[in-house]
Amino acid sequence: PFSKLQFKPGINREITKYTNEQGWNDCDKVRFRQGFPEKIGGWQKISENTYLGVARSLHQWTDLDQDKYTGVGTNLKFYIEAGGEYTDITPIRRTQARSNPFTTNTTAGTEKVVLVADVGHGALAGDYVTFSGSGAVGGIPADNLNKEHAITTVVDVDSYKITVATSATSIATAGGSVTAKYQINTGPGQVIPTDGYSSSFFDGGGWNQGNNAAESLRTYNQANFGEDLIFGPRGGEMFYWDATNGLGTPGIPVKNVNNGAAITLNSPFTVTNGSKTVTVADATGLRVYEVGQHVTFTGTLSPVGGVPAGDFNGRFEILTVDSGANTYTIEVATTATGDATGGGGIFVQYEVSANVPVVQDMLMVSDSSRFVFCFGTNPFNVVTKNPMLIRWSDQEDMFDWRPRSTNQAGDLILSQGTEIVAAIQSRQEILVFTDSALYSLQYVGAPVVWGSQLVGSNMSIASSKAVAYANGTAYWMGIGKFYKYDGNVQPLRCDVRKYIFDDLNTGQYGQVFAGTVEEFHEVWWFYCSTETDVPDKYVVYNYLEDIWYYGTLSRSAWLDSPINDHPIAATSSNNLVEHENGVDNVETATVQGITAFIQSGFFGIESGNSFSFVDKVIPDMSFLGTTAGSANVTFTLKASSEPGSGDNNPLSEGGNSAGTSISQSNVDLYTDQLDIRVRGRQMSLRIENNTDTGVTWQLGTPRINMRPDGRRGS
């Protein structure tokens, strides 16, 4: 008689294949819908263009004209993707003019290497620098030098090497008056176990320098503020990109953004004989000014006390502030020859408060009233990072971070843990993860503004990107287990826990990242398998059906955005792809089919007391969505005599152990019966498609003709 083969949905690897008689045991690129397995959807690249580096941060938003932007943060660059084009907006760290900085040589094998002299350059190997204004040097044309270069070798604090396209023909030190623009420091594409980078932005004057400890990979944080973008690398400062300035404009430090329109002051400068210190009077009350802030003056037409007018026109740092007198001081280049007050009608532009955070491990813009948050940041008026400190700006103002009675800027320090690892916006609260606890931040209004509540302790989180929010619940991967928070922190029941964590490269926990596929009620985690240093596998939790499955796929970032028709992901081919778009792998120019399989646990007759013989399989398949003229899916029965004896060899009893169900143009027309010959005490079923393109499938309830074939002897 024919018997139905209907297995419990999901994969279970917590028990043996024999114990898992009514379940599925293994799979790749398969999901469950309504309890039945099917091949996952395909993916297509969004364009032929590529980016540099490993992308680990994706964020999507639109401007006021409904133009769609995707922020793409890699370990080497930061891009804005729009219309399939990746535009480099990586901030400039330093602009420096040098005279004759290039030295060439003609030594065999190094003739394309150019030595660059720049005192205190602060660069790391792998950083990018752009030169302009150079002439030809040692036979190397000027256009080979006046462009962007990756720094290949840092010789010392005052020099480094680049490689150009044309060989030098002579030894020379030249270039003329050259301007060098350095992008912010790059970082590693994976966790560096020893002798790596520092976690402090301030060590050595650049991002991640000088510490011989294990170091996490380079990861960007980003959030849109209206149509603009705030972004920055973990362990670095915040940068601002103004959408109205157009693509191609680099991000600039938030602390340097001009704050509001220029103010006109009348004769504000007071000088003292024999001093370069100038007192500036501003009682307008239109701008807050404080020590360390910068101010720019324009329009000074007359000298003051012997100080030339030109000395006042420029950018100055505020040295001291007398709030009672509404004055502050700056320093000019020329010593005054007398006491005087003047300057005429002067335009003054105050830059942002000096108390904008200069380092952050995480940033966010709250859904509630648009506060900008920094997690793991430097305190007010201090430059050293406190990894447990949270600061927020004034409401609707990313530039005002100084707590005052007239605003809602503020801060708080969490107590449990050693560092803030991650944060995510949830419904009516912000969830903040330390390395051992979970806190809830809620807006409570002045004077406290934001209050924190401990909602979970004695827990862990794998990385800053290991948490996803779906269906009113936060899900995350911890160290050795999964968790969820729906008002209470709970370990998440997982049927593949041991299998996943035994296979995970624990030295690369930092690369774990989570994403959602809302269409199928899924949370995905990507991780590095044992002995690899790139995420090459994934595990999925289907929260609607409370089941797990997994597979192999190399990705470095994921975003399921309502702005996009499909989830997008960053690939090892340095491009973005749309998932669940089509049925094939269109990551590169060559379209490839996607092989998917699923295999059951063992089943048998009378709990394995009898041998079973199977000679027919009646498949039950749907090929809806297949674009090929026909689709092949192979059914294989694997039999064994004892639970620990392995598969029979040969698998078949004088025939076949497998048969192929071939669909026709109609998705409900396919091979009606597969003839096979398999004998054993227990059997498992495997369904797999080949590498043909245009194929997708869903399994129903197949039937097999199975009958007893002898009993075990006494």
Side-chain angles (χ1 to χ4, degrees):
F2 282 95
S3 302
K4 289 184 178 180
L5 294 180
Q6 191 163 350
F7 302 97
K8 291 178 293 187
I11 303 297
N12 192 329
R13 296 297 293 261
E14 292 295 284
I15 55 180
T16 66
K17 289 188 290 184
Y18 186 72
T19 306
N20 190 23
E21 182 177 5
Q22 300 298 321
W24 296 104
N25 179 258
D26 198 8
C27 72
D28 186 21
K29 299 181 180 66
V30 165
R31 66 161 45 93
F32 288 81
R33 192 206 302 248
Q34 296 292 313
F36 293 93
E38 66 180 25
K39 177 175 169 284
I40 66 171
W43 49 89
Q44 297 191 25
K45 59 183 180 296
I46 64 170
S47 74
E48 298 293 337
N49 299 307
T50 59
Y51 48 77
L52 295 174
V54 181
R56 301 199 180 280
S57 177
L58 301 175
H59 178 71
Q60 208 165 57
W61 79 104
T62 60
D63 64 13
L64 297 180
D65 296 324
Q66 298 304 303
D67 294 322
K68 183 172 65 177
Y69 300 112
T70 304
V72 183
T74 81
N75 65 310
L76 301 180
K77 297 274 193 176
F78 192 92
Y79 298 89
I80 297 290
E81 181 276 323
E85 296 282 343
Y86 299 99
T87 302
D88 184 359
I89 67 159
T90 312
I92 301 300
R93 173 179 60 83
R94 182 173 187 257
T95 300
Q96 186 67 51
R98 291 297 182 196
S99 179
N100 299 321
F102 300 124
T103 298
T104 62
N105 64 54
T106 56
T107 304
T110 60
E111 62 272 4
K112 293 183 179 180
V113 174
V114 176
L115 180 68
V116 183
D118 186 355
V119 175
H121 54 75
L124 304 173
D127 283 1
Y128 287 85
V129 58
T130 300
F131 298 111
S132 60
S134 177
V137 181
I140 299 175
D143 59 359
N144 278 2
L145 293 166
N146 293 323
K147 58 193 300 186
E148 183 180 75
H149 300 270
I151 295 173
T152 56
T153 305
V154 173
V155 178
D156 53 38
V157 295
D158 298 327
S159 62
Y160 56 85
K161 294 178 180 180
I162 61 173
T163 301
V164 295
T166 305
S167 299
T169 58
S170 64
I171 298 175
T173 298
S177 180
V178 177
T179 298
K181 289 187 176 182
Y182 296 90
Q183 290 188 355
I184 58 174
N185 296 130
T186 58
Q190 63 280 324
V191 176
I192 306 297
T194 57
D195 298 329
Y197 297 80
S198 164
S199 60
S200 171
F201 177 77
F202 301 98
D203 291 348
W207 188 86
N208 275 3
Q209 296 185 66
N211 185 14
N212 293 330
E215 178 55 47
S216 60
L217 63 162
R218 172 82 149 183
T219 303
Y220 269 91
N221 304 306
Q222 50 178 319
N224 62 289
F225 192 86
E227 63 177 345
D228 302 330
L229 185 70
I230 309 172
F231 66 101
R234 184 178 181 89
E237 63 180 305
M238 288 189 297
F239 300 95
Y240 173 65
W241 180 77
D242 188 338
T244 60
N245 290 336
L247 292 169
T249 305
I252 59 176
V254 172
K255 66 182 181 183
N256 292 342
V257 178
N258 287 337
N259 189 6
I263 301 169
T264 301
L265 301 178
N266 292 313
S267 298
F269 303 127
T270 297
V271 299
T272 303
N273 183 34
S275 174
K276 294 182 179 181
T277 300
V278 177
T279 299
V280 184
D282 180 1
T284 63
L286 298 177
R287 296 288 182 269
V288 174
Y289 45 83
E290 45 200 19
V291 173
Q293 191 173 353
H294 285 81
V295 60
T296 300
F297 300 103
T298 56
T300 307
L301 299 176
S302 59
V304 181
V307 179
D311 274 19
F312 296 101
N313 293 328
R315 181 174 182 264
F316 300 89
E317 180 179 349
I318 294 175
L319 303 177
T320 64
V321 172
D322 186 338
S323 56
N326 295 316
T327 62
Y328 55 87
T329 61
I330 61 172
E331 185 177 282
V332 293
T334 304
T335 302
T337 57
D339 298 338
T341 297
I346 311 302
F347 294 102
V348 56
Q349 182 88 43
Y350 292 106
E351 294 181 9
V352 71
S353 164
N355 291 294
V356 168
V358 294
V359 61
Q360 50 78 36
D361 283 342
M362 194 87 185
L363 63 84
M364 176 186 295
V365 177
S366 68
D367 289 343
S368 175
S369 305
R370 289 212 307 176
F371 291 84
V372 180
F373 279 84
C374 282
F375 305 90
T377 185
N378 59 292
F380 177 73
N381 270 342
V382 177
V383 296
T384 303
K385 182 179 77 172
N386 182 337
M388 294 290 284
L389 175 67
I390 303 172
R391 292 180 62 188
W392 57 87
S393 70
D394 190 18
Q395 182 179 350
E396 297 279 357
D397 191 345
M398 75 173 78
F399 307 116
D400 188 0
W401 293 76
R402 180 181 181 180
R404 296 185 296 274
S405 60
T406 56
N407 72 6
Q408 295 194 75
D411 60 24
L412 61 86
I413 298 176
L414 303 181
S415 57
Q416 286 202 19
T418 61
E419 65 172 337
I420 295 173
V421 179
I424 191 170
Q425 180 80 53
S426 68
R427 186 174 55 196
Q428 299 179 336
E429 62 184 340
I430 295 173
L431 300 177
V432 183
F433 299 80
T434 74
D435 50 5
S436 64
L438 175 62
Y439 287 84
S440 168
L441 296 185
Q442 294 185 337
Y443 179 70
V444 296
V448 176
V449 188
W450 286 87
S452 67
Q453 180 181 1
L454 180 67
V455 294
S457 58
N458 194 26
M459 41 148 283
S460 61
I461 185 168
S463 74
S464 64
K465 303 292 186 182
V467 57
Y469 188 77
N471 195 37
T473 303
Y475 301 93
W476 69 96
M477 179 190 284
I479 307 301
K481 65 174 69 174
F482 294 90
Y483 298 87
K484 71 175 182 178
Y485 172 78
D486 56 4
N488 295 294
V489 174
Q490 306 170 54
L492 195 57
R493 184 199 61 79
C494 180
D495 293 332
V496 295
R497 173 183 167 184
K498 187 176 187 301
Y499 174 80
I500 296 300
F501 288 103
D502 283 352
D503 185 43
L504 188 147
N505 183 347
T506 57
Q508 297 293 331
Y509 259 120
Q511 295 199 59
V512 170
F513 66 94
T516 63
V517 183
E518 190 275 335
E519 178 183 1
F520 299 106
H521 319 291
E522 295 170 340
V523 180
W524 291 50
W525 287 272
F526 288 83
Y527 64 94
C528 301
S529 62
T530 307
E531 306 301 328
T532 66
D533 57 6
V534 295
D536 61 338
K537 291 189 177 181
Y538 66 87
V539 57
V540 179
Y541 177 61
N542 185 314
Y543 50 84
L544 182 66
E545 301 189 39
D546 190 27
I547 56 176
W548 294 82
Y549 32 98
Y550 54 76
T552 58
L553 190 63
S554 180
R555 296 290 182 264
S556 61
W558 187 281
L559 178 66
D560 190 12
S561 168
I563 298 172
N564 219 48
D565 293 333
H566 308 278
I568 58 175
T571 74
S572 56
S573 304
N574 303 97
N575 60 6
L576 298 182
V577 295
E578 290 186 325
H579 272 265
E580 306 304 327
N581 186 356
V583 299
D584 294 318
N585 172 0
V586 196
E587 181 178 327
T588 62
T590 303
V591 179
Q592 300 178 32
I594 300 171
T595 299
F597 81 87
I598 188 164
Q599 184 167 327
S600 74
F602 283 121
F603 57 90
I605 292 180
E606 297 179 0
S607 301
N609 289 324
S610 299
F611 276 91
S612 303
F613 180 76
V614 178
D615 61 358
K616 289 181 176 60
V617 174
I618 298 180
D620 179 25
M621 302 288 292
S622 171
F623 294 94
L624 183 65
T626 292
T627 59
S630 64
N632 298 345
V633 174
T634 300
F635 285 71
T636 303
L637 277 177
K638 296 187 175 183
S640 66
S641 299
E642 301 293 344
S645 64
D647 296 337
N648 289 347
N649 186 13
L651 287 173
S652 172
E653 294 286 329
N656 298 314
S657 62
T660 300
S661 176
I662 303 175
S663 78
Q664 307 303 319
S665 57
N666 188 314
V667 296
D668 291 325
L669 292 179
Y670 46 85
T671 307
D672 58 359
Q673 181 173 290
L674 307 177
D675 293 319
I676 60 177
R677 293 179 61 84
V678 177
R679 181 177 184 269
R681 282 199 174 94
Q682 54 271 327
M683 302 179 188
S684 67
L685 175 67
R686 180 183 177 99
I687 298 96
E688 183 174 18
N689 65 283
N690 58 22
T691 58
D692 290 348
T693 59
V695 174
T696 190
W697 52 267
Q698 183 182 37
L699 180 67
T701 307
R703 290 175 292 166
I704 61 174
N705 188 37
M706 180 169 63
R707 62 178 183 269
D709 192 44
R711 278 188 171 274
R712 183 189 318 179
S714 58

